[in-house]
Amino acid sequence: MPSEPIRYVTKVDLTKPGDQQPQVHNRWHPDVPFSETIKPGETVKIECLDWTGNQIKNNDTADDILNVDLTRIHYLSGPFNIEGAEPGDALVVEIKDVQPLERQPWGYCGIFHKKNGGGFLDKFYPEAAKAIFDLEGIHATSRHIPHVKFTGLIHPGIMGTAPSAEVLQEWNSRESGLIKEIQHAHDMAVANAPLETNAHAGSADAELAAKIAKEGARTIPGRPENGGNCDIKNLSRGSKCYFPVYVPGAKFSVGDLHFSQGDGEISFCGAIEMPGVITIQTSIIKGGIEKLSLKSPIFIPGDVQNHYGPSRYLTFEGFSVDEEGKQQFLCATTAYRQACIRAIEYLRKFGYNDYQIYLLLSSAPIEGHVAGIVDVPNACTTIGIPMDIFDFDIGPEGGLEKQDMGNCALVEGAKHELIYEYK
C-alpha cells in the first residue's frame, strides 16, 4: 500500500510581503502563537520565504538591495508545536531535504550599502550590489559572475526554539547592556535591541502582537541558548540538530534558506538567498538538556557535502594586522577580513571586479578556518576557494589571463569605485 503524501505544515505566498502572512513571524518570544502541530516521528514539509519577505527581484539593478527595509526581515515559518515537548527536553530535528521552490528557481546574493546594513568589508565596498543565480538541479550559475558554476550545499540559515520569558529577559538584558557599554565607540550597531517597528507576531491578535513587538528579541544574531541565525553551511540534508526546549511544545521555527554559502557569509546578505521548502522529522529526548549538558544547540552534519578535492582549494591566509598596518591582539575577525582581502586582490587578475569577487566569496562554498589563535600577537585564519568551480585555471601557475567578466548588478545611476588598493 503506498504511503501517504508528506504533509505541508506551511505554505508561503511569493506575491505578498512577509508581514501580511500569518504563518510566519520575525521575533523570538514565548507567546508567538503556534502555527501548526507536528507529531514526533512525523515527516513534514515547510515552505519558507526568503529572508527579506519577497523584497528582492530578479533583474539587473541593485536598487532593491539599496532600498531594502531591514526592519522587515527574517520571516520564519512557525512556530511549531512539537507534540509532547516540555521545558528541559531536547528537540531533535533531522533535515531530510532542502530545495528551492519550483515556482521560483532563482536566488540572489547582495552587498548592502554601508548606510543601510553594510557588511564585513563595507569600509572598502560601501555601495550596494547584487548577483542573481539560476538554480538548476544541484548547480548554481550567475549571469553577474560568469565562468563560475558550483554545487549547492542547501541549508537553513535559521533554526531555533522559542525562549522562555526568563531566557528572553536574559537576552534583552545582556544585549542592551552591551549597547550602553560600547556603542559610543563604534560607528555600527553593536547589538539589536527590541524594535516595535515592523515586528510581525504571526497570527497574534492586536493586544498580544503589541506585547511581542515591545519585548520580542530580534532574529538577527544567533544566540547560545537557542541557535537561531547561525548560518552554518554544513547544516544540510541528512543533518541532525539538537535544540534545548524552554516552553511547552518547543515552538520551533525555521527560515532564511540558502542554496549555497561561503563560510562567514561575509557580505551579510551573503549566501544565495532563496524561498524554498525544507523537509524535517522531529523527535524528543526527555530531560535532554540535563542528559546532554545542552546549553547550546549541537549538530551532526549530514553526509551530503560538497566534494571538491582537498588538494584543489586555493587557500589564502589572513593575520590580525589590519589594512592600516596596525597590530591587533589575537583578533580572528581582523585576520578573516585580511584573508578576504588577499583573495580579492588575487582574483582581480582574471578580470573580475572587487564587487563580483566579494559576492562570490559570500555565495560559493569557500572553506573558512581558524588556523591559529594561540601564538601572540597574531591570530591566523584561512579562506580556501575551490578551484574547480571555475571553467578556467585560477592556479598560480595557470597563466593568470585577464578576461572580460562583465559586471554584477549595481545601483542605477550610481558611481562605483570598484577597486580599493590595500596596503
Side-chain angles (χ1 to χ4, degrees):
M1 182 176 178
S3 59
E4 291 291 324
I6 298 175
R7 181 169 68 102
Y8 278 81
V9 292
T10 302
K11 291 277 191 133
V12 296
D13 189 334
L14 301 182
T15 68
K16 293 181 179 179
D19 53 12
Q20 294 181 19
Q21 303 191 42
Q23 73 280 23
V24 301
H25 65 102
N26 69 353
R27 292 293 187 273
W28 293 116
H29 193 283
D31 297 334
V32 177
F34 291 123
S35 65
E36 256 288 3
T37 294
I38 300 172
K39 295 180 182 293
E42 180 186 12
T43 298
V44 298
K45 288 182 176 291
I46 304 166
E47 286 192 353
C48 301
L49 296 167
D50 84 279
W51 78 295
T52 69
N54 300 325
Q55 293 188 62
I56 308 304
K57 307 304 178 186
N58 185 349
N59 55 33
D60 297 319
T61 172
D63 286 19
D64 49 5
I65 292 287
L66 174 68
N67 298 313
V68 67
D69 186 345
L70 292 178
T71 68
R72 295 172 55 237
I73 57 169
H74 281 173
Y75 294 101
L76 307 182
S77 295
F80 299 105
N81 173 27
I82 311 301
E83 197 170 89
E86 294 293 334
D89 293 344
L91 173 65
V92 185
V93 178
E94 182 175 357
I95 300 174
K96 298 290 190 179
D97 197 13
V98 195
Q99 294 293 337
L101 295 177
E102 291 184 0
R103 58 190 188 273
Q104 186 170 309
W106 59 270
Y108 63 92
C109 180
I111 299 169
F112 290 139
H113 194 283
K114 186 174 182 178
K115 294 182 179 179
N116 186 28
F120 193 51
L121 302 178
D122 61 9
K123 176 177 180 180
F124 314 110
Y125 306 110
E127 303 292 343
K130 180 177 74 179
I132 297 295
F133 288 86
D134 293 313
L135 312 177
E136 300 182 50
I138 65 172
H139 293 119
T141 57
S142 175
R143 63 185 182 269
H144 296 127
I145 310 176
H147 300 287
V148 170
K149 180 179 182 179
F150 49 85
T151 304
L153 189 56
I154 312 176
H155 61 279
I158 301 177
M159 291 193 294
T161 50
S164 63
E166 293 76 19
V167 169
L168 177 61
Q169 184 177 21
E170 169 64 20
W171 290 354
N172 289 337
S173 175
R174 71 188 182 210
E175 292 171 23
S176 62
L178 185 68
I179 293 171
K180 292 177 182 177
E181 290 170 14
I182 69 170
Q183 184 61 74
H184 67 277
H186 296 266
D187 59 2
M188 62 179 292
V190 299
N192 293 275
L195 179 68
E196 296 181 57
T197 302
N198 288 324
H200 181 47
S203 62
D205 61 28
E207 182 178 354
L208 179 56
K211 178 178 186 290
I212 292 169
K214 185 176 181 179
E215 302 171 353
R218 303 292 300 280
T219 56
I220 294 169
R223 295 181 176 90
E225 291 86 354
N226 82 326
N229 191 25
C230 294
D231 295 311
I232 301 169
K233 79 176 194 296
N234 303 95
L235 272 177
S236 189
R237 291 167 290 173
S239 298
K240 272 192 172 182
C241 316
Y242 300 77
F243 297 95
V245 174
Y246 301 104
V247 299
K251 292 197 171 180
F252 172 76
S253 299
V254 61
D256 186 25
L257 304 187
H258 300 159
F259 188 84
S260 176
Q261 178 200 302
D263 283 331
E265 199 188 13
I266 61 172
S267 77
F268 180 27
C269 185
I272 299 180
E273 309 284 353
M274 66 175 200
V277 56
I278 181 169
T279 307
I280 66 168
Q281 186 180 81
T282 63
S283 58
I284 299 166
I285 300 175
K286 301 306 292 185
I289 289 181
E290 182 177 353
K291 287 179 181 177
L292 304 178
S293 298
L294 195 62
K295 294 184 179 178
S296 294
I298 58 177
F299 73 94
I300 301 171
D303 54 6
V304 180
Q305 301 290 323
N306 284 318
H307 292 290
Y308 297 105
S311 64
R312 296 290 296 162
Y313 281 83
L314 185 60
T315 300
F316 300 86
E317 297 182 13
F319 299 88
S320 49
V321 177
D322 70 19
E323 62 280 350
E324 304 298 331
K326 183 178 180 181
Q327 180 71 64
Q328 305 291 337
F329 179 67
L330 292 182
C331 180
T333 299
T334 297
Y336 202 64
R337 186 177 288 115
Q338 293 305 304
C340 293
I341 290 170
R342 299 290 86 80
I344 289 172
E345 291 172 330
Y346 181 85
L347 290 176
R348 287 175 185 164
K349 299 178 184 299
F350 302 103
Y352 294 114
N353 66 51
D354 290 26
Y355 279 83
Q356 288 175 302
I357 304 166
Y358 189 4
L359 288 163
L360 180 64
L361 294 178
S362 296
S363 56
I366 66 169
E367 291 286 323
H369 297 284
V370 175
I373 51 172
V374 296
D375 298 316
V376 298
N378 278 327
C380 175
T381 67
T382 62
I383 284 179
I385 301 175
M387 299 170 70
D388 295 331
I389 70 175
F390 298 88
D391 65 9
F392 59 93
D393 187 358
I394 66 164
E397 300 178 46
L400 304 178
E401 294 182 5
K402 183 172 286 191
Q403 304 181 54
D404 180 2
M405 297 298 186
N407 210 339
C408 50
L410 304 173
V411 174
E412 292 184 1
K415 295 181 179 179
H416 286 71
E417 184 60 44
L418 295 177
I419 301 294
Y420 184 95
E421 296 298 339
Y422 308 103
K423 288 190 175 183

